[in-house]
Amino acid sequence: MVDAADLVVQGRGKFEELMVCSHEIAASTAQLVAASKVKADKDSLNLAQLQQASRGVNQATANVVASTISGKSQIEETDNMDFSSMTLTQIKRQEMDSQITLSLVRVLELENELQKERQKLGELRKKHYELAGVAEGWEEAFKNQKRGQGAGPLLTRISSKEIVQSSGVRENEKGGNQGL
């Protein structure tokens, strides 16, 4: 986030990137709290402190996003063109150039870029869910469910040895995931 903010201040970054970084930090913090709630005792002092810190992080990221939006709108206001010295013909020509060529081309470029990024995000999420399912032992449950056997993904687990055999990873390369 600091790098994104530096780039924005230098005029080489985008405000949207800064906002996305802020949202990612808030989301990561929420994931940490959720995981901690599962693992920790509900009366844990450390959990309470983590939740309080999470609220602070959320407030700070909300402030960053609000400041970014405010700064972006101030800069956009100063970038507006002064048309007071232009003739009617010049204004009309400028309008046509903007509407027909530059703006429409840019919109199409952005739409194509957005579509590619959505596809990339979809593929990343798909791969993440596949890997998370294998790590959690859902692989066999999904296979059985497709065949009409078994009770479903939450009730069937595969052993860590089956994961090791199917992934080709040796026992000492698992990195301490002994609790599968």
Side-chain angles (χ1 to χ4, degrees):
M1 183 166 80
V2 173
D3 292 337
D6 285 342
L7 290 173
V8 168
V9 169
Q10 294 170 3
R12 297 183 301 167
K14 296 181 180 181
F15 287 100
E16 291 80 7
E17 290 175 358
L18 184 57
M19 288 188 277
V20 167
C21 287
S22 297
H23 289 295
E24 287 177 352
I25 289 171
S28 295
T29 304
Q31 284 180 333
L32 175 64
V33 170
S36 297
K37 281 183 179 179
V38 170
K39 297 283 183 179
D41 295 330
K42 73 176 187 179
D43 297 330
S44 170
L45 178 64
N46 290 336
L47 180 60
Q49 290 174 341
L50 179 63
Q51 289 173 325
Q52 184 64 29
S54 173
R55 286 186 208 99
V57 168
N58 285 337
Q59 182 63 39
T61 56
N63 289 341
V64 168
V65 170
S67 297
T68 303
I69 291 170
S70 174
K72 181 180 178 184
S73 65
Q74 288 177 356
I75 288 175
E76 287 175 349
E77 287 174 8
T78 61
D79 286 345
N80 289 338
M81 293 180 61
D82 180 22
F83 298 113
S84 61
S85 62
M86 296 176 81
T87 66
L88 179 61
T89 307
Q90 290 172 329
I91 291 173
K92 187 62 177 175
R93 184 173 182 188
Q94 185 74 31
E95 178 185 351
M96 290 172 56
D97 286 346
S98 293
Q99 288 179 346
I100 294 173
T101 56
L102 303 176
S103 296
L104 293 176
V105 169
R106 182 69 180 140
V107 166
L108 290 174
E109 289 172 349
L110 290 172
E111 287 176 347
N112 287 335
E113 187 177 337
L114 177 63
Q115 182 62 28
K116 288 177 185 176
E117 288 298 319
R118 283 182 175 158
Q119 288 175 342
K120 180 180 174 182
L121 180 61
E123 291 298 318
L124 286 170
R125 285 182 176 162
K126 182 179 175 182
K127 187 64 177 176
H128 175 260
Y129 293 145
E130 288 174 2
L131 293 174
V134 168
E136 293 295 322
W138 299 341
E139 184 177 76
E140 288 297 318
F142 285 125
K143 288 180 184 175
N144 290 339
Q145 193 174 24
K146 285 182 182 177
R147 288 187 221 130
Q149 305 167 355
L154 295 177
L155 298 177
T156 307
R157 297 185 60 86
I158 58 176
S159 71
S160 60
K161 288 183 181 180
E162 290 173 313
I163 292 172
V164 170
Q165 290 172 351
S166 68
S167 67
V169 177
R170 292 189 304 259
E171 194 71 29
N172 60 358
E173 291 178 345
K174 289 195 310 185
N177 288 337
Q178 303 299 326
L180 291 177

